[in-house]
Amino acid sequence: MRRKLALLTTALVSLAATSAHAQDAAKRPNFLVIVADDLGYSDIGAFGGEIATPNLDALAARGLKLTGFHTAPTCSPTRSALLTGLDHHEAGVGNMAEMLAPNQVGKPYYEGYLRADTATLPEILRGGGYRTLYSGKWHLGLKPEQDPHARGFDSSFALLQGGHNHFGQNVAQDRVSMGSTYTLNGQQVTSLPANFYSSDYFADQLVSQLQAGKSSTKPFFAYLAFSAPHWPLQAPAKVIAKYKGRYDAGYDALREQRLKRQVALGLLDRKVAAHNADLAPIWNGLSAADKANQAKRMEVYAAMVDEMDQAIGRVVQTLKATGQYDNTVILFLADNGAEGARLDEPSMNMVNAVYAKADNRTENVGAATSYEALGPGWATAATAPSWRVKGYATEGGTRSVAFVAGPGIAPGVGAAYTNVADVTPTFLELAQVAAPKASPNGKPLRPIRGKSWAGWLQGGAAQVYSPDAAIGEELFGGRNLRQGDWKITDLGDGNWRLFNVAADPGETKDLSATEPARKAQLEKAWQDYASQVGVVLPEPRQAILDRPVRR
């Protein structure tokens, strides 16, 4: 869908690239990036969901809904690409640090944290006269030199690991002990308030940072990285109660409801075929006890999204109260598709023991002592019409909910292919700050791989990527490559499938047999991509959920 957008403000586009420290720096836009953790494509109201998300819906209504936005299949790879503009392999996160295969250990681009020879967006913007603020889940390194405070953020409160107890239990007392590690401006925090809840505390920390700098003449770059609604499913009891009974009809019914809303909102063509929900049993085949347990999980998940939205509302109100709202570009995204893992399956061995010891009785799900996940049924409902969920290189694993709003951005729907690696070059162009070619110690930096949206946002281009641009992906051995309307996808079993994703975004019809030459061309392009970014396919392969249960 071709979207028409207003030109950016005269003050924004007239800035010269060399004026980073000029007296009119305060007129340059602020930036706020908000990342939700494992949020499904249709979870918020603006994208078809029934969960109460009035603050996100209001932001989306004044901005551009990015229905072609893509990420890596999981969290830390996506976050590394967002902050560097590079493919996540180039950034040092070829695989998640927790999931490295034996043959990947010690290999370049598989460090599991941001490489020292990468430049981060906050580092570059800070050099260009911006204040840089951070609060939330980091998941890009545990050592002091890998902390957000060491990678460009002036002020930071961070959870260093990829997950935690949302009520603040099990806080690590040092960097080598078990537990969740939190830092404030690079210094470890060993206790949290008694009323800690992740979404509220992360947002409140950013609010404090924004208020502390309200008199500054510098523009800011702020990054609010939630850990919700990532497992364990935990939320305040009063919010969970709002959704009691809401999901008793089950995930199959919810999937159909969400698809209809997407059509009504103009986000989905009614002719598009939705991929089968093949990872979960049919709802009506479940026992009464299983249905009750599944419904309770979704009630808690909805409460987590609801509470996150309320927290975002407080940040937005702070921007308005400090006079910064109208000049702030706000990007909201999920870091991958919805989470469909089962925490008791072998591939989740990192949490098997914790899951087994938790109190996961249906009536206790959502409490601080529980440790449950959403599961594949609800996850595939949230990613529909796309195929599969988080962890896969399919559209369901990599097409994420996203929108951008702010000065000069008119409301609409942007269906063009966009990528999380585009965020860094886009913000740098809007800020009129040049990307460095070398690190402070003189070592050359890899050129940014993502493409700026600036021309697209200004209405001067129909697409961000040219039809012949080849954009690849690999994680856990799952692979894809997109070129124009065409895509090849490998679930991780070594078999390439070919799809025309313009006509078939659900990846429902494999065209390998009818388009063998095109498939061969894309396979070669993937090999070229893999060589460029240093892909090391895992041995053995790392299937996440490749066990369909519905035929």
Side-chain angles (χ1 to χ4, degrees), residues 11-364:
L12 176 60
V13 298
S14 64
L15 289 169
T18 57
S19 64
H21 297 288
Q23 61 182 0
D24 62 347
K27 296 179 182 179
R28 292 182 289 161
N30 305 306
F31 300 104
L32 170 60
V33 176
I34 305 173
V35 177
D37 199 355
D38 295 353
L39 185 74
Y41 180 80
S42 63
D43 281 334
I44 70 173
F47 279 71
E50 72 296 324
I51 302 172
T53 54
N55 295 294
L56 283 169
D57 295 347
L59 288 173
R62 67 185 286 265
L64 182 68
K65 300 179 185 72
L66 305 174
T67 58
F69 183 78
H70 288 73
T71 65
T74 64
C75 44
S76 54
T78 289
R79 292 161 194 251
S80 69
L82 186 156
L83 285 172
T84 64
L86 301 173
D87 180 89
H88 61 88
H89 297 81
E90 297 172 301
V93 192
N95 198 348
M96 298 173 66
E98 306 88 342
M99 300 287 286
L100 286 171
N103 67 313
Q104 295 172 335
V105 175
K107 297 291 178 62
Y109 312 118
Y110 286 82
E111 291 83 359
Y113 53 84
L114 294 177
R115 288 169 57 94
D117 60 357
T118 62
T120 68
L121 179 57
E123 287 171 337
I124 301 169
L125 287 177
R126 183 166 67 179
Y130 273 73
R131 292 182 293 127
T132 53
L133 317 173
Y134 182 86
S135 183
K137 167 179 164 176
W138 182 238
H139 203 189
L140 292 172
L142 298 174
K143 296 180 179 179
E145 64 270 23
Q146 299 157 3
D147 191 274
H149 196 61
R151 293 312 310 255
F153 287 101
D154 298 321
S155 300
S156 66
F157 177 83
L159 162 70
L160 297 188
Q161 287 89 357
H164 63 154
N165 184 291
H166 290 281
F167 288 104
Q169 295 188 1
N170 306 317
V171 179
Q173 298 303 297
D174 54 59
R175 289 182 182 263
V176 297
S177 299
M178 295 295 292
S180 301
T181 309
Y182 301 87
T183 62
L184 178 64
N185 296 331
Q187 300 301 309
Q188 187 162 1
V189 174
T190 57
S191 64
L192 297 170
N195 64 346
F196 179 92
Y197 182 73
S198 65
S199 296
D200 297 329
Y201 198 79
F202 292 159
D204 290 346
Q205 288 291 306
L206 186 64
V207 165
S208 296
Q209 293 170 8
L210 290 167
Q211 290 175 335
K214 62 184 178 181
S215 61
S216 174
T217 59
K218 291 183 177 181
F220 65 77
F221 167 73
Y223 182 7
L224 176 57
F226 289 103
S227 56
H230 190 291
W231 49 261
L233 299 179
Q234 296 169 333
K238 64 179 180 180
V239 188
I240 298 173
K242 292 171 56 176
Y243 295 92
K244 184 174 178 56
R246 176 63 184 81
Y247 299 101
D248 289 353
Y251 43 70
D252 291 335
L254 183 68
R255 182 174 186 266
E256 295 307 313
Q257 293 166 6
R258 295 266 187 99
L259 287 169
K260 289 179 180 178
R261 290 195 193 100
Q262 289 178 53
V263 171
L265 290 168
L267 303 176
L268 178 66
D269 189 323
R270 66 177 64 253
K271 297 178 183 178
V272 166
H275 207 285
N276 293 331
D278 60 354
L279 291 175
I282 296 172
W283 179 263
N284 287 336
L286 298 180
S287 68
D290 285 342
K291 287 180 178 179
N293 181 267
Q294 287 284 341
K296 179 62 179 294
R297 291 195 219 176
M298 187 61 199
E299 290 168 9
V300 177
Y301 179 88
M304 295 178 77
V305 177
D306 186 319
E307 190 74 5
M308 179 180 68
D309 181 81
Q310 295 181 49
I312 290 169
R314 293 194 295 276
V315 174
V316 171
Q317 286 302 314
T318 300
L319 294 178
K320 292 178 178 178
T322 56
Q324 301 282 14
Y325 180 72
D326 290 337
N327 194 40
T328 300
V329 174
I330 300 175
L331 172 66
F332 174 81
L333 67 138
D335 57 359
N336 42 246
E339 170 67 84
R342 298 179 292 272
L343 300 187
D344 58 346
E345 64 182 3
S347 67
M348 299 298 293
N349 61 354
M350 70 182 104
V351 297
N352 288 165
V354 178
Y355 177 80
K357 294 178 181 178
D359 181 357
N360 291 326
R361 292 171 299 129
T362 297
E363 59 269 28
N364 195 57

Side-chain angles (χ1 to χ4, degrees), residues 352-516:
N352 288 165
V354 178
Y355 177 80
K357 294 178 181 178
D359 181 357
N360 291 326
R361 292 171 299 129
T362 297
E363 59 269 28
N364 195 57
V365 172
T369 52
S370 70
Y371 206 90
E372 256 308 354
L374 185 62
W378 301 111
T380 51
T383 59
S386 299
W387 186 23
R388 295 287 173 95
V389 293
K390 173 186 174 180
Y392 291 100
T394 60
E395 291 296 281
T398 62
R399 189 178 74 123
S400 300
V401 58
F403 61 79
V404 59
I409 301 174
V413 177
Y417 176 90
T418 49
N419 191 284
V420 68
D422 303 338
V423 175
T424 285
T426 299
F427 283 12
L428 290 180
E429 184 167 355
L430 296 181
Q432 293 295 301
V433 175
K437 295 182 179 180
S439 63
N441 60 11
K443 291 186 177 181
L445 298 171
R446 284 203 154 191
I448 288 176
R449 183 171 290 268
K451 305 297 182 184
S452 173
W453 301 340
W456 182 61
L457 293 176
Q458 295 176 39
Q463 305 289 332
V464 175
Y465 287 82
S466 65
D468 61 347
I471 310 104
E473 174 55 59
E474 182 278 330
L475 188 65
F476 310 138
R479 304 174 290 171
N480 72 44
L481 184 122
R482 174 78 175 256
Q483 188 171 42
D485 293 341
W486 294 88
K487 181 187 176 189
I488 49 173
T489 303
D490 169 17
L491 291 175
D493 56 9
N495 296 319
W496 285 114
R497 292 90 168 162
L498 174 68
F499 303 102
N500 183 326
V501 285
D504 180 26
E507 295 175 290
T508 65
K509 187 176 181 181
D510 182 1
L511 301 176
S512 297
T514 57
E515 295 272 357

